[in-house]
Amino acid sequence: MHPFFAPTGATAIPLHFVTAATLNAVAGKAGASAFAKAADFTGKPGQSLLVPGKGGELAAVLFGIEAGAGHADPFLPGRLAGILPPGTYRFANAPHDARLAALAIALGSYTFTRYRKANGRTLKLVPPASVDAAELSAIIEGVTLTRDLVNTPSNDMGPAELEAAARKLAKAHRAKIGVIAGSTLARDFPLIQAVGQGSARAPRLIDMTWGNPKHPKITLVGKGVCFDTGGLDIKNDAGMLNMKKDMGGAATALGLAHMLMARKIPLRLRVLIPAVENSISGTSFRPRDIYRSRKGLTVEIGNTDAEGRLVLADALSLADDEKPELVVDFATLTGAARVALGPELPALFTDDDTLAGDLAGIGLAENDPVWRLPLWRPYEALLDSRIADTNNVGGGHGGAITAALFLRKFVGNAKAWAHFDIFAWTPSAKPGRPEGAECQAARALFALLKKQYC
Ligand code: BES
Ligand code: MN
Ligand code: ZN
């Protein structure tokens, strides 16, 4: 169980959720009618009231939630993470969704403490009766793993450190793990090699497997670009500033893998992470270089900053070889996806309409939304090269779509494939979502796989 959860029956301060309409009744029950009135607490969404007891101790908390269905932010109770004094709490009544409310408070309590001590505010919650606290614990741990990996700056999170993180996770769940590097990588994974060869920190392909080989084969592929300078097509200062997070896809795959393994979902899980640094040196790959990919397609480099799709291409072709039920990749792939959908909505690409519909619905239910963009066939022509089978870039328009269409060239045998173009970052804090690294689309996928295979 995650330390966020207190034992059932622990002494706990009650949290009362109210709307303007229920304020009188709920405040009455909490013995807080007079104090709420005196403090001008009206139960507006997001408003909170710390209610003292007779001896001045904290006796109860009131928190305003949105009335009715279709609320703007199911994570609103996550705001309590920044409000409540250290202590143990319980839900005195049900918010809209007790599971998401508990999750939001847990995820909102996250702090990244590797380089500076936390401010020491520890919150605990007695799990609401309706909630599977063991499952929620696995989800919180997975999200925390993803956030920690992404928040860690590149000097401490290069390809070797990303490998170490994957090995640690594999060990914890007794998964098998292998790493391809050196001359074998150069021979068998030419695109991963090309992107990574300019860095003093050697590129590698991490390959982890877990579960009963007879169970359905699900493979997660995560973009592990441990820093993206853009390569010789160098990014400007603003564009480069946050590129420690360019391994966010890898971190998301690992966080999701933790959730699935901790809950022992009956799958044969495989996680593939091409781990590289896209840097600049005399050995960097260049614009107009042409490489023969693992799959055999020749790729002309139109832009060295379109590196994520290159490392994914070789990893996807390996994933595809064993004809899995489902291949899912996560990648901080394009700025264009952010222009289209903003930071909170990962773009989802798939040819499988049922999968797309299921993911959209479950994403909303989990408050881990994803939004489908089209694999628009006619734009494939934008990727044409004059002298190679394909270019790695498709020009200025529809950049997230042409990136996804490039990836699709390397998947063909898998029964289904889904690609998530994620941001992996919260630019400014929201309830349940502290500023900094974020784990996107993994909770939605966890819920879907659990539903489909349990
Ligand atoms: N890692 C970036 C994409 C990115 C940038 C994601 C900022 C999130 C925030 C990726 O490797 C990249 O540089 N993509 C280029 C592609 C272009 C050169 C075709 C982009 O989106 O500009
Ligand atoms: Mn790039
Ligand atoms: Zn990148």
Side-chain angles (χ1 to χ4, degrees):
M1 201 72 82
H2 193 277
F4 174 71
F5 290 114
T8 329
T11 317
I13 299 161
L15 299 174
H16 299 267
F17 296 96
V18 305
T19 64
T22 66
L23 175 60
N24 282 339
V26 174
K29 242 192 206 143
S33 298
F35 187 71
K37 197 155 190 215
D40 194 26
F41 178 81
T42 56
K44 267 198 319 237
Q47 197 186 12
S48 60
L49 185 71
L50 304 183
V51 182
K54 288 208 179 73
E57 78 283 6
L58 179 56
V61 177
L62 304 187
F63 184 77
I65 54 176
E66 293 173 84
H71 10 285
D73 187 359
F75 268 3
L76 185 63
R79 186 175 285 185
L80 286 163
I83 290 166
L84 299 177
T88 301
Y89 297 86
R90 65 180 168 86
F91 290 178
N93 60 358
H96 303 294
D97 183 327
R99 185 169 167 276
L100 287 185
L103 183 61
I105 298 171
L107 298 183
S109 304
Y110 170 88
T111 51
F112 181 57
T113 55
R114 179 162 171 159
Y115 300 94
R116 199 167 67 193
K117 283 254 168 323
N119 39 11
R121 290 169 10 97
T122 314
L123 292 187
K124 282 178 175 286
L125 184 72
V126 175
S130 61
V131 165
D132 181 343
E135 186 195 87
L136 226 46
S137 291
I139 292 173
I140 296 163
E141 288 157 6
V143 171
T144 302
L145 172 64
T146 301
R147 287 176 175 176
D148 281 346
L149 293 174
V150 173
N151 278 328
T152 303
S154 186
N155 59 312
D156 286 328
M157 188 49 65
E161 290 85 358
L162 188 54
E163 175 187 332
R167 286 190 184 278
K168 188 175 163 196
L169 183 70
K171 197 169 176 199
H173 297 284
R174 296 208 222 135
K176 283 198 201 111
I177 187 163
V179 175
I180 300 166
S183 53
T184 313
L185 185 84
R187 186 192 64 209
D188 296 341
F189 297 89
L191 296 180
I192 301 176
Q193 172 69 20
V195 173
Q197 70 193 18
S199 172
R201 304 195 287 180
R204 63 207 70 199
L205 177 62
I206 301 161
D207 185 352
M208 180 173 110
T209 49
W210 173 89
N212 185 337
K214 292 195 187 106
H215 286 156
K217 290 184 170 56
I218 307 289
T219 299
L220 311 177
V221 182
K223 172 177 171 181
V225 175
C226 293
F227 195 81
D228 183 9
T229 63
L232 290 170
D233 289 315
I234 188 170
K235 289 180 182 294
N236 63 24
D237 53 357
M240 203 188 299
L241 184 61
N242 229 6
M243 283 299 116
K244 70 172 184 181
K245 78 174 171 73
D246 215 20
M247 34 59 73
T252 303
L254 292 174
L256 172 56
H258 172 79
M259 297 174 203
L260 294 166
M261 296 188 292
R263 297 307 293 153
K264 302 207 164 34
I265 307 297
L267 302 170
R268 199 305 315 265
L269 179 68
R270 186 180 195 186
V271 181
L272 292 173
I273 295 175
V276 301
E277 179 176 19
N278 188 18
S279 60
I280 299 172
S281 76
T283 57
S284 294
F285 75 132
R286 314 160 191 84
R288 292 265 188 260
D289 278 357
I290 296 177
Y291 297 92
R292 186 174 301 276
S293 66
R294 178 182 186 276
K295 185 171 175 152
L297 284 179
T298 54
V299 180
E300 180 181 11
I301 307 303
N303 193 313
T304 63
D305 199 7
E307 84 297 337
R309 64 195 74 181
L310 296 171
V311 300
L312 288 172
D314 275 356
L316 284 169
S317 92
L318 176 64
D320 199 50
D321 280 355
E322 59 172 357
K323 304 184 173 59
E325 284 298 302
L326 175 64
V327 173
V328 180
D329 75 74
F330 301 96
T332 50
L333 202 63
T334 68
R338 270 30 302 158
V339 173
L341 297 173
E344 292 175 24
L345 280 178
L348 159 65
F349 295 87
T350 180
D351 282 321
D352 187 325
D353 294 341
T354 310
L355 180 61
D358 289 350
L359 276 166
I362 224 155
L364 283 182
E366 294 290 316
N367 196 29
D368 190 17
V370 299
W371 212 268
R372 191 183 192 184
L373 292 181
L375 285 157
W376 184 247
R377 275 284 164 99
Y379 291 170
E380 236 165 46
L382 296 170
L383 289 163
D384 287 350
S385 159
R386 284 185 192 280
I387 57 172
D389 293 323
T390 185
N391 202 294
N392 75 326
V393 294
H397 291 147
I401 298 173
T402 51
L405 288 169
F406 179 86
L407 294 181
R408 188 171 63 176
K409 294 174 189 264
F410 299 87
V411 193
N413 300 318
K415 289 225 182 71
W417 164 63
H419 156 56
F420 291 98
D421 194 331
I422 60 173
F423 194 53
W425 197 260
T426 298
S428 66
K430 295 185 56 180
R433 305 184 190 279
E435 183 180 324
E438 188 52 290
C439 178
Q440 296 180 315
R443 291 187 296 107
L445 213 68
F446 171 74
L448 183 86
L449 292 173
K450 183 188 144 193
K451 191 170 140 209
Q452 243 157 37
Y453 297 106
C454 274

